[in-house]
Amino acid sequence: LVLGAEYQMEMMRCLRDVNVDNNTVGWYQSTYFSSFIEESCIETQFNYQQHIKTAVLLVYDPARTRATGMPLRAFRLTDHFMALYREGKFTLQAVAAANLPRSEVFEELPLKVRHSHLSSALLLDLQPECNLPAGGADFARLELHTNPFLEKQMQLLIECTDDLQQESSKLQHYERNTQRQKAAQAAYLQKKKAEKAAKLLKGEEVADEDTSSNPLFKPIPQPSRLEALLIANQMQSYCQQINAFSGQSFAKLFLLQSLNSGAQ
């Protein structure tokens, strides 16, 4: 992380030296099938938004070229999640009190890509070399074979489900240990109470016991719910992609059915 920051500062100095706009507006990350919602990504974007209020995350996903035709997406952390992440408390009670739904971790921003006139002219010059007819249609987008994309999405969704089950098991393990500790504390206090009553009957002096140093009364650390929140957000992203791609696939099938009916 330190080397990355030094490299960024050096690049900004070089851009400034050659009179190029060196204002930082965010950072970018490449991914595949939009599998970018991780704690490291959250931490980096949080640091950017802490120092640059308008910082954005650009995500490049080549798999979306086939599905939607737009491989770039722009994201920001929501203000609600920023406030919760700033506190650093992702316990079950803190997340429930914040009333943060899984859809409010990232907010997607509208993105518009514009080409300069020089790049458009270059593409026109390269068109004959690539054997692309002028104004030719991209019939590859009408491909009906959707199994690889959907299978990969379902596989990633199943993996996220397994990860979410592991996070749930951690929480259940914590709850069981807490119940055992409470039962052991109650039994210990009951025993001490009986011993105190017996000493009082004998006329012995009884001193109050300091339970702060007793390991039995040491609180059990609660597992963080951040990972579960991010996994749920990632699963929602996969479901949205499956929904969008399936909708396009049905549209292609209906189009093909209409063409076959017209041909007959």
Side-chain angles (χ1 to χ4, degrees), residues 36-82:
F36 67 94
I37 304 178
E38 300 174 347
E39 190 170 353
S40 59
C41 176
I42 298 292
E43 181 181 0
T44 304
Q45 180 61 23
F46 175 81
N47 292 331
Y48 268 97
Q49 286 188 218
Q50 279 283 88
H51 299 88
I52 307 173
K53 299 300 181 183
T54 58
V56 297
L57 163 63
L58 281 180
V59 178
Y60 173 72
D61 185 3
R64 287 179 59 87
T65 305
R66 178 183 175 187
T68 63
M70 184 62 175
L72 287 176
R73 301 172 74 187
F75 294 93
R76 277 176 53 84
L77 292 176
T78 61
D79 295 336
H80 199 174
F81 182 82
M82 287 282 292

Side-chain angles (χ1 to χ4, degrees), residues 135-150:
D138 186 8
F139 292 105
R141 297 186 182 277
L142 298 177
E143 181 184 359
L144 300 177
H145 187 56
T146 60
N147 288 340
F149 182 85
L150 292 179

Side-chain angles (χ1 to χ4, degrees), residues 220-233:
I220 301 175
Q222 188 174 152
S224 174
R225 301 303 296 162
L226 175 60
E227 189 66 24
L229 182 64
L230 298 182
I231 293 174
N233 194 272

Side-chain angles (χ1 to χ4, degrees), residues 164-204:
L164 188 61
Q165 177 61 34
Q166 292 180 6
E167 293 297 322
S168 300
S169 299
K170 292 179 182 178
L171 184 61
Q172 294 173 3
H173 182 70
Y174 163 77
E175 294 290 345
R176 287 194 297 267
N177 289 340
T178 303
Q179 294 299 325
R180 293 194 191 100
Q181 186 185 50
K182 288 181 179 179
Q185 290 174 356
Y188 179 82
L189 293 176
Q190 186 67 25
K191 178 182 177 183
K192 288 297 182 181
K193 184 178 179 179
E195 293 177 355
K196 182 178 180 180
K199 288 182 179 180
L200 289 175
L201 290 176
K202 295 179 182 179
E204 299 179 1

